[in-house]
Structure formats: structure tokens, C-alpha cells
Amino acid sequence: RWAGVRGRGLYAVGVLSILGFIVLARTEPSVVRAAAMGAVGLLAMTHNGRQRALRGLGAAVIGLLLIDPGLATSIGFTLSVLATAGILLFGPPWRDALRRWMPQWCAEAIAVPAAAQLACTPVVAAISGQVSLVAVLANLLVEPAVAPATVLGLLGGLLGLVWDPLGMVAGTV
């Protein structure tokens, strides 16, 4: 949107980004999982997106399990699905409630990690035997670094295809 892309063009950019991510990072299980959750996120941007995204999440889970039944015992897969579901189910109402007292960007910055954390907490507690009281705050504090790190990581990967040392500089930054 910042670059002036609107309407269906946003979805095209999203799909191309997901495909580019898969090509660049290769089809490792975590990449396929992230791509599937990214596709669910694209569905959430559409008209009636929340319902479509929940159905898409169900379809993505079933499809991924049919392709790789071993994901049924993968903690990473479980956490990805739970975080995505939490964001879809709890994120929008919490964001809307918080917007009464703060700007939208701030409400989203709090609601999204809080929703993901709430959905993942039972599994994280089962794995680690404890519940983190600072996880949402930690996510909130690192959020400003996520976009630059993502862009620099992508740039590093692309530049590394041309000349490794240049890619390593961008990746290191």
C-alpha cells in the first residue's frame, strides 16, 4: 500500500512474495509451513476475510498433513497453526477494543503478538513447564526490527545469488 499498490494488485504482490520466498528459501518444512500461513494471511485481507481465513487455515492444515503426515507431531507446525488461529480469532476484536484508547498502529502492535501468545501458551507451557510473563512485551519491543530484518534478509539472499560477499554484508546488517 505504501508503494501505491491497491485492490487486486495487493493480492498479486502477496502471492508473488510467497512464491519468491519459497524459491529463495527452498522447500524446507519451515518454509512450506510459513508459506501456507502467509497464504492464510492473504485470505484474511479479503472481503469477509476472517471467515475465509479460518476456512483457509483448516484447508492449509489438512493439505500440509496430507503432504507430510509427520507434521502432526511437529511442535513448530503446531505453534504456527495456533499463532495464526489466535491472530485471526482474537487479534481483530482486541485491536478494535484497544483503538478506543490508542492509535490503530499501536493497538495492532499490542493485539497481534498478544493474540498469538495466548493461543500458543498452552503448548509452550507443556513443552517448557512454565509460562512467560514477558513474551508479549518482548515481541512488542522487537517488532520495529522485524520489517528491516526481513527486507535485509531478502536482500542478502538475492545479492548472495549474484556475489556471496555482498549478500553476506546485507545479511549481517
Side-chain angles (χ1 to χ4, degrees):
R1 289 181 178 146
W2 176 79
V5 179
R6 299 282 185 261
R8 291 188 179 160
L10 286 173
Y11 306 118
V13 168
V15 168
L16 290 173
S17 297
I18 291 171
L19 292 174
F21 171 65
I22 293 170
V23 168
L24 184 65
R26 301 193 181 105
T27 56
E28 301 286 326
S30 62
V31 172
V32 173
R33 184 175 66 237
M37 297 307 122
V40 170
L42 279 177
L43 284 172
M45 292 174 43
T46 65
H47 174 71
N48 200 12
R50 192 168 169 196
Q51 287 76 25
R52 286 184 183 183
L54 286 171
R55 288 191 302 267
L57 178 59
V61 168
I62 290 169
L64 288 170
L65 288 173
L66 287 173
I67 292 167
D68 183 4
L71 289 174
T73 60
S74 166
I75 297 298
F77 179 70
T78 302
L79 291 173
S80 291
V81 172
L82 288 173
T84 303
I87 291 167
L88 292 172
L89 292 170
F90 305 126
W94 290 0
R95 175 204 59 215
D96 295 344
L98 290 169
R99 275 196 326 207
R100 296 179 190 145
W101 297 287
M102 60 186 64
Q104 180 168 336
W105 66 268
C106 189
E108 286 178 354
I110 294 170
V112 170
Q117 184 67 35
L118 175 72
C120 292
T121 293
V123 172
V124 172
I127 295 167
S128 66
Q130 60 186 0
V131 175
S132 172
L133 299 176
V134 296
V136 173
L137 179 61
N139 283 330
L140 187 59
L141 291 174
V142 300
E143 187 171 347
V146 172
T150 302
V151 171
L152 286 168
L154 174 63
L155 186 62
L158 293 173
L159 291 173
L161 293 172
V162 178
W163 190 43
D164 273 346
L166 190 58
M168 290 183 0
V169 168
T172 301
V173 172

